[in-house]
Amino acid sequence: MHFSLVDRILELELGRRIVAVKNLSLAEEYLADHFPQFPVMPGVLMLEAMVQAGAWLVRATEDFQHSMVILRQANNIKYGRFVEPGQSLQIEAEILGQTEEETRLKAQGTVDGQFAVGGRLVLVRYNLADSQPHRKYADDWVRKELRKKFYLLYPPAQFQDSVGLQSGP
């Protein structure tokens, strides 16, 4: 099962940082099981929200060159407060460094300006065809679908403005 834990990208500086938001609703499927009398966003999903925000930064920075951007390592993860329905988790991720296949990030989530979660992440990026050439078409399809989703999270005009392109006549 896959949960989409980024509802909107608020700011994007290619190659540098991203600010995204997850609005927690009581309708979230996992809240029915995660303390039904005291619904809060599970810590592992708070971590996953930081991973997803970081992955959007990596994808946009490299113009969706890789179909897969996944977590390789999470370090020094600390939690500061609960995220409850009706609250928004604002996530900021900043690139610390990159190699040919990995991106190191510092990420933090806050609720109303108060620390909720933070740590350092290592994301690895690759294409399925790197090890299985017959999966090239799967890579193409995944990249196309991710680009469509990205433009829902961060509309093209907003993206163009952030990278200094003319967004209209």
Side-chain angles (χ1 to χ4, degrees), residues 116-145:
V117 62
R120 298 198 180 236
L121 310 172
V122 177
L123 303 182
V124 63
R125 54 194 190 282
Y126 61 93
N127 287 307
L128 299 171
D130 293 347
S131 61
Q132 300 174 359
H134 68 279
R135 302 197 75 190
K136 179 194 178 310
Y137 295 108
D139 286 325
D140 294 342
W141 183 84
V142 168
R143 284 192 299 267
K144 180 180 147 200
E145 293 302 309

Side-chain angles (χ1 to χ4, degrees), residues 22-36:
K22 169 61 181 162
N23 299 306
L24 193 65
S25 159
L26 193 53
E28 303 286 341
E29 184 179 327
Y30 50 83
L31 291 179
D33 297 322
H34 199 260
F35 311 138

Side-chain angles (χ1 to χ4, degrees), residues 24 30-31 34-35 39-48 79 83:
L24 193 65
Y30 50 83
L31 291 179
H34 199 260
F35 311 138
V40 294
M41 186 175 196
V44 69
L45 293 184
M46 294 166 68
L47 170 59
E48 177 64 16
Y79 294 92
V83 183

Side-chain angles (χ1 to χ4, degrees), residues 6-58:
V6 171
D7 292 331
R8 188 66 134 175
I9 296 172
L10 305 176
E11 298 175 34
L12 177 65
E13 296 175 46
L14 295 177
R16 187 163 177 277
R17 69 185 275 276
I18 190 170
V19 178
V21 68
K22 169 61 181 162
N23 299 306
L24 193 65
S25 159
L26 193 53
E28 303 286 341
E29 184 179 327
Y30 50 83
L31 291 179
D33 297 322
H34 199 260
F35 311 138
Q37 300 304 312
F38 180 63
V40 294
M41 186 175 196
V44 69
L45 293 184
M46 294 166 68
L47 170 59
E48 177 64 16
M50 293 191 310
V51 169
Q52 289 182 18
W56 286 119
L57 173 59
V58 169

